[in-house]
């Protein structure tokens, strides 16, 4: 898992253990019931959308699966948690059609350095699908001028991406 995913899972599990009052009753995991898990998910659902709730369920499933594998839980509760349903195309598309990108870039006056910078960052985000964090961390050292290559340290995978 990516480090940020681990942090999020830990956050969700701390919340779950707090809900169970684990610090006061450490043995509660051994007697955990599906209705307790459901009660926790109902509480979390008040402040999370279905997409965020899927992450909470994923963290719980992983935790409960490990507890079952270690013999702490007698029943495989992780197999009984239903994930919130999401549907394809229910969210706005994450990418704009190229005609809209060109319409966004066209009015930028590129005669000033700030405008050239803005144009370049928007173009690279649209053309290469770079994340905002990857763009703001770019430095001149990331450019191999002779080879015409841009080196991007990817945020999510920690891999180096080489782009023309």
């Amino acid at each position: 898992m990516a480090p940020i995913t681990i942090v999020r899972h830990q956050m969700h599990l701390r919340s779950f253990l707090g809900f169970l009052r684990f610090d006061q009753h450490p043995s509660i995991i051994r007697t955990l019931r599906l209705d307790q898990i459901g009660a926790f998910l109902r509480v979390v659902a008040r402040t999370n959308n279905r997409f965020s709730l899927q992450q909470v369920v994923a963290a719980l499933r992983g935790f409960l699966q490990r507890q079952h594998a270690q013999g702490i839980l007698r029943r495989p509760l992780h197999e009984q948690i239903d994930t919130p349903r999401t549907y394809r195309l229910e969210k706005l598309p994450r990418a704009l059609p190229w005609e809209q990108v060109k319409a966004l870039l066209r009015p930028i006056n590129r005669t000033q350095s700030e405008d050239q910078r803005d144009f370049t960052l928007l173009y690279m985000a649209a053309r290469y699908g770079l994340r905002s964090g990857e763009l703001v961390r770019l430095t001149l050292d990331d450019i191999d001028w002779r080879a015409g290559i841009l080196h991007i340290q990817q945020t999510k995978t920690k891999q180096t991406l080489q782009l023309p």
Side-chain angles (χ1 to χ4, degrees):
M1 287 186 215
I4 189 67
T5 304
I6 294 169
V7 168
R8 284 189 186 127
H9 278 232
Q10 289 172 336
M11 178 186 69
H12 297 316
L13 293 175
R14 269 194 294 279
S15 178
F16 177 61
L17 294 174
F19 176 83
L20 295 175
R21 294 192 171 97
F22 176 79
D23 57 337
Q24 298 166 6
H25 309 285
S27 64
I28 197 159
I29 297 297
R30 293 190 178 282
T31 59
L32 188 62
R33 299 180 321 270
L34 198 54
D35 65 315
Q36 292 170 299
I37 298 167
F40 170 72
L41 291 174
R42 281 190 297 279
V43 168
V44 173
R46 291 182 201 150
T47 56
N48 288 272
N49 63 31
R50 287 175 293 134
F51 299 95
S52 298
L53 204 51
Q54 283 182 326
Q55 294 176 2
V56 176
V57 169
L60 279 178
R61 281 182 176 164
F63 172 73
L64 296 172
Q65 182 178 22
R66 183 159 177 94
Q67 298 303 303
H68 182 259
Q70 292 177 342
I72 295 168
L73 283 172
R74 283 181 275 135
R75 295 184 312 146
L77 295 176
H78 62 282
E79 294 175 355
Q80 299 173 13
I81 304 173
D82 198 18
T83 189
R85 299 288 179 249
T86 57
Y87 303 94
R88 205 168 64 108
L89 302 178
E90 77 175 271
K91 289 176 76 175
L92 293 173
R94 294 195 59 141
L96 295 173
W98 191 244
E99 287 305 314
Q100 285 182 331
V101 171
K102 288 194 298 189
L104 175 72
L105 296 174
R106 197 174 302 120
I108 297 176
N109 176 6
R110 291 183 272 166
T111 59
Q112 298 178 24
S113 61
E114 296 87 12
D115 294 334
Q116 289 176 350
R117 179 204 60 211
D118 293 347
F119 176 89
T120 302
L121 290 174
L122 288 170
Y123 179 84
M124 288 175 23
R127 184 71 168 169
Y128 295 125
L130 298 178
R131 293 176 172 82
S132 58
E134 295 164 346
L135 291 169
V136 298
R137 281 192 297 278
L138 282 176
T139 67
L140 290 174
D141 293 334
D142 295 322
I143 303 170
D144 181 344
W145 296 99
R146 286 202 169 95
I149 294 176
L150 178 64
H151 301 276
I152 305 285
Q153 181 69 29
Q154 291 184 296
T155 310
K156 197 164 191 173
T157 63
K158 303 297 183 217
Q159 301 293 315
T160 299
L161 182 63
Q162 295 183 1
L163 303 171

